[in-house]
Amino acid sequence: MILGALAMIAANGASVLGARMLLARVAVGRQAVDFVLFLLLRLLLLSAVVLIAGTAGGLTPGVLGITGAAAIALLVALGAHRGLRRPDVEGWDRWVLVLGALVTVRLLIQVWFLAPYHDDVIAYHLPKIVEWVRSGGFTRELGPDPRSTFPAGFELIETWWVVFLHHDVLIEMAGVEFLLLAGAGAYALAREMGWSVKSAAIAALFFVLTPGIHFQATSCFNDGPVAALVVATAALILARVPAALILVPVGLGIGIKPTFAYALPGLAVIAWLCRREPRTAAPSSRTAWTACIAALAIGAAWYLRNWAVYGNPVHPMGWNGMKNPTSGSMVQRMGPSFQALQENLSGLLDVRIYDRIHAPNAPGAGNFNWGAAAFAIGMPALVPLLRTEAPLRRLTIGLVLSMGCVFFLVEYDLWYTRFVLFLTVLPALALARLWERHRIVAVLASAALVSGILGTCVPGAVPEESLRHMVSVPAAVRAARPPPQRPAYGQTIGYLAVYHGSAYLLYGADYSRRIVYLREKTLDELLARLKADGLTLFYTPTGRFLEESMLEEGVRRGVLRSFKDGDWPGYEVVFAK
Amino acid sequence: MDGNLRKPVPPVAWEVLLVALLAAWRAWSHPTALLWRDWFLLLCLFWIFTALCSRTRAWPYVAGALMGGLLVLYGWGQLPLTFAAMGLGR
């Protein structure tokens, strides 16, 4: 663990110095925009390193740590450390700094005490990470759920935060990196619109405290990162930086989730509306284009892999979208739908904006999760500003169009609002602008800020027993719920690979358990597989799934016996006497 | 022909007309009993007020009243849920 921690420090140090060195070649000379570029370059480096190490079979703490240490030596020799200085926070109100520091500390506490808890995350986002980390490289096995093949750009950053310790205690740091990018993006947008440092800092604070954005950061969901990248892209567009640099977050975003691509038309409109503004040059266009090509390649990697392996770049989606194999209901749609647009818009305006279905939560369950500040202060504040501030008007037109495009392309369900969390940067910006102009806005926004701080303490839509379990067990074994007791620790566990499930939790927080996914479609094949792998029992997801009839046949024939180990339903093999 | 007759309609009139149409659509398509707390309608009405009276002394007071009212409306629905998630108020 200590060697792993040292390797993590070395690799992170190298990535910071490397990003700084690249920044020196593409910096545009405006602090806020350059900080956004620095964060993007670091994320680009981390993604590239994990992608290359995973492909080459070098995804281990030893390889990454030694490479990191060597890179530090090389970068220091090249002078990358020169000119390192404390962040410039001149002009920031003291209370913003204090509150920002407190929110950061609270965020780290949340990282420490929260383990991956949401169904989607533990069913299909994270099992692939464990498989990669356990085998020290990319694997064909990605997890039990067919959606495991979705683009995994965010999982690259999550892998970075688990590979060194071989443990998921810091996995949420990946989301925190993107939360920082979100704040930096909001700050840069305000500065690029010519607003004061104070307004920009307040906008960043309110945006980061947007409940949906905040909880996404510590939930292992990839919609917060998409929102952060949309906002960062918008900031670079408003800053009129070279196209090559604007395409860096675009490449990363497309590699994280297709919903980023859905938002692109709105971003293109912002670029078109800003076309007469003076351009900003980067010192080295070669470095900028190299970063651009790398980001686009990283983004395209998942679609190319799916095309090569499954013959379909968006596998497992087909032309008719994707349906729940058990219920037959539409899970993801493919292509635009006016009905989806209408349902999504009215769902947002009639219900979701009030945030009164659940406590603020990460998956977007029932709410927009934009908080009191955006609902009550930010959106009314946007009205007068849209009439007078042209850059804000352009940004609003673009982001509202992005929202429309996303709504045109996604299915109406309980959770769709998390795909448009980028929109909440608009009320955060407007609130910050009027904060300086009208005392009444500052007073009311302070009350909303208290509500925002309270609302981002404990994530909603998480079972109470799960929260209690996470904070009560040591970090070494922290999980959303206790794993089954059988088989004995260290032995391989069988798990029926069906749609959904909680496979990730079976690996253990230290990824020490091996899971065999059972994909057999007949009872005899299943029994043969269990015998071949030496498994005497296996677990299944809770709820209904198509393979139930196969298991019922096994029980009927007397070769399987169902059991329950805590919350875990399973079957054990009955051997002939 | 008198030149005044060809005077273009001021942009603010178009703005008010457009937002008024949105407000009317919302009022028509939404249950009447719920209109007093319909966020979209309130925002439309505030937009019309802003378009016509943004330079008056009354604007900050009306804006403050609207924001305060919306804050209460939001808190009324959300705070009990927030407190419940924190293990309070049950």
Side-chain angles (χ1 to χ4, degrees):
Chain A
M1 187 67 99
I2 291 172
L3 282 176
L6 289 173
M8 183 170 70
I9 291 166
N12 275 303
S15 70
V16 168
L17 284 178
R20 205 167 166 274
M21 187 124 194
L22 287 174
L23 179 68
R25 292 165 191 270
V26 297
V28 295
R30 295 210 289 280
Q31 200 183 29
V33 178
D34 285 344
F35 187 57
V36 170
L37 285 173
F38 167 76
L39 294 174
L40 288 170
L41 290 170
R42 177 175 141 81
L43 290 167
L44 177 66
L45 281 179
L46 300 193
S47 304
V49 167
V50 174
L51 203 57
I52 292 166
T55 309
L59 198 57
T60 64
V63 171
L64 295 178
I66 291 168
T67 310
I72 286 178
L74 181 67
L75 288 164
V76 168
L78 291 171
H81 64 295
R82 287 194 202 114
L84 276 176
R85 54 192 161 81
R86 283 172 52 194
D88 182 8
V89 288
E90 199 181 320
W92 288 48
D93 270 6
R94 188 179 292 265
W95 71 265
V96 175
L97 284 171
V98 170
L99 209 53
L102 288 175
V103 168
T104 305
V105 170
R106 190 187 61 174
L107 203 55
L108 296 176
I109 292 171
Q110 288 170 330
V111 166
W112 185 257
F113 281 104
L114 289 174
Y117 56 81
H118 192 269
D119 291 350
D120 285 359
V121 165
I122 57 182
Y124 67 91
H125 288 245
L126 298 184
K128 66 175 85 69
I129 291 179
V130 195
E131 294 293 335
W132 296 345
V133 170
R134 280 183 56 85
S135 62
F138 290 157
T139 54
R140 185 76 193 257
E141 179 61 80
L142 297 173
D145 192 294
R147 291 167 294 176
S148 301
T149 55
F150 281 170
F154 182 50
E155 283 89 322
L156 292 179
I157 310 298
E158 289 177 311
T159 302
W160 177 266
W161 283 104
V162 298
V163 67
F164 298 102
L165 303 181
H166 213 280
H167 197 288
D168 74 356
V169 69
L170 296 181
I171 195 168
E172 295 86 2
M173 282 303 293
V176 173
E177 296 224 26
F178 282 96
L179 187 65
L180 183 60
L181 178 67
Y187 184 88
L189 279 171
R191 294 294 288 144
E192 285 306 311
M193 289 192 281
W195 300 357
S196 69
V197 169
K198 179 182 173 177
S199 282
I202 292 173
L205 181 67
F206 272 93
F207 186 45
V208 162
L209 279 172
T210 302
I213 294 277
H214 196 84
F215 283 136
Q216 278 272 329
T218 51
S219 64
C220 299
F221 271 110
N222 52 18
D223 306 286
V226 166
L229 286 166
V230 169
V231 170
T233 311
L236 297 184
I237 291 171
L238 230 57
R240 298 286 286 151
V241 305
L245 294 177
I246 294 172
L247 289 173
V248 170
V250 171
L252 294 176
I254 289 171
I256 287 178
K257 196 163 189 159
T259 48
F260 182 93
Y262 298 174
L264 279 177
L267 294 171
V269 165
I270 298 173
W272 184 76
L273 292 172
C274 295
R275 68 193 182 283
R276 293 191 209 287
E277 300 299 318
R279 287 180 183 279
T280 311
S284 163
S285 64
R286 184 181 292 179
T287 309
W289 279 108
T290 306
C292 165
I293 290 166
L296 292 173
I298 288 167
W302 312 108
Y303 302 93
L304 292 173
R305 177 204 62 187
N306 285 351
W307 189 32
V309 176
Y310 306 102
N312 172 10
V314 290
H315 176 84
M317 299 267 286
W319 286 112
N320 296 322
M322 186 180 171
K323 291 186 173 174
N324 182 323
T326 313
S327 67
S329 62
M330 182 70 84
V331 180
Q332 314 275 358
R333 78 165 23 264
M334 186 67 144
S337 157
F338 282 105
Q339 188 187 342
L341 176 65
Q342 189 265 323
E343 286 174 345
N344 287 328
L345 270 177
S346 46
L348 182 74
L349 289 177
D350 295 348
V351 182
R352 309 300 171 100
I353 54 166
Y354 296 95
D355 281 0
R356 55 174 56 173
I357 303 296
H358 284 288
N361 59 79
N367 299 346
F368 187 22
N369 292 307
W370 62 339
F375 175 90
I377 321 288
M379 287 305 285
L382 193 59
V383 170
L385 294 174
L386 284 180
R387 308 182 71 250
T388 54
E389 309 231 1
L392 183 63
R393 197 160 51 236
R394 292 178 196 135
L395 180 70
T396 305
I397 290 169
L399 292 187
V400 168
L401 181 65
S402 289
M403 178 194 74
C405 292
V406 172
F407 283 179
F408 202 27
L409 290 158
V410 301
E411 189 70 5
Y412 174 67
D413 60 20
L414 191 60
W415 308 278
Y416 73 96
T417 54
R418 69 176 193 253
F419 305 141
V420 293
L421 278 172
F422 54 79
L423 206 66
T424 60
V425 76
L426 295 173
L429 287 164
L431 180 156
R433 183 66 164 156
L434 284 203
W435 180 292
E436 280 193 309
R437 290 188 186 173
H438 298 286
R439 191 166 174 74
I440 183 74
V441 173
V443 170
L444 291 168
S446 302
L449 186 61
V450 173
S451 157
I453 291 169
L454 281 177
T456 48
C457 281
V458 181
V462 185
E464 197 181 322
E465 61 271 24
S466 184
L467 279 173
R468 200 171 290 144
H469 179 73
M470 283 190 268
V471 296
S472 63
V473 298
V477 293
R478 185 161 293 134
R481 57 189 167 107
Q485 299 299 308
R486 292 194 299 164
Y489 199 73
Q491 289 185 11
T492 302
I493 297 185
Y495 193 74
L496 200 67
V498 298
Y499 181 81
H500 241 83
S502 311
Y504 177 76
L505 301 180
L506 290 170
Y507 290 99
D510 60 356
Y511 298 173
S512 59
R513 284 182 123 159
R514 178 172 168 254
I515 312 294
V516 168
Y517 291 114
L518 306 165
R519 295 187 167 86
E520 284 65 31
K521 296 296 173 204
T522 68
L523 181 62
D524 290 328
E525 287 170 4
L526 176 68
L527 291 170
R529 176 76 195 278
L530 290 169
K531 191 175 177 187
D533 280 293
L535 296 171
T536 56
L537 57 86
F538 62 93
Y539 291 94
T540 68
T542 50
R544 303 201 64 79
F545 46 90
L546 287 178
E547 290 76 1
E548 274 176 312
S549 57
M550 173 177 74
L551 304 179
E552 283 162 8
E553 183 194 346
V555 173
R556 227 175 18 250
R557 278 169 49 183
V559 290
L560 293 178
R561 185 164 50 213
S562 69
F563 69 94
K564 210 160 183 199
D565 187 326
D567 288 341
W568 297 89
Y571 289 83
E572 55 192 338
V573 182
V574 180
F575 294 101
K577 289 183 179 158
Chain B
M1 191 184 278
D2 191 343
N4 284 341
L5 287 177
R6 283 183 291 169
K7 205 172 169 183
V9 180
V12 72
W14 289 114
E15 184 184 342
V16 169
L17 180 67
L18 184 71
V19 181
L21 282 173
L22 278 175
W25 162 77
R26 189 67 180 169
W28 173 75
S29 64
H30 216 63
T32 314
L34 301 177
L35 286 180
W36 66 273
R37 58 182 170 94
D38 184 66
W39 178 87
F40 187 80
L41 181 64
L42 292 173
L43 213 64
C44 286
L45 297 177
F46 179 63
W47 193 314
I48 293 169
F49 174 73
T50 301
L52 299 173
C53 309
S54 61
R55 292 176 193 279
T56 64
R57 275 198 191 169
W59 189 88
Y61 296 101
V62 173
L66 175 76
M67 290 172 179
L70 288 177
L71 203 55
V72 171
L73 179 64
Y74 183 92
W76 190 263
Q78 176 50 240
L79 279 181
L81 298 167
T82 299
F83 288 136
M86 296 169 77
L88 305 170
R90 276 173 301 173

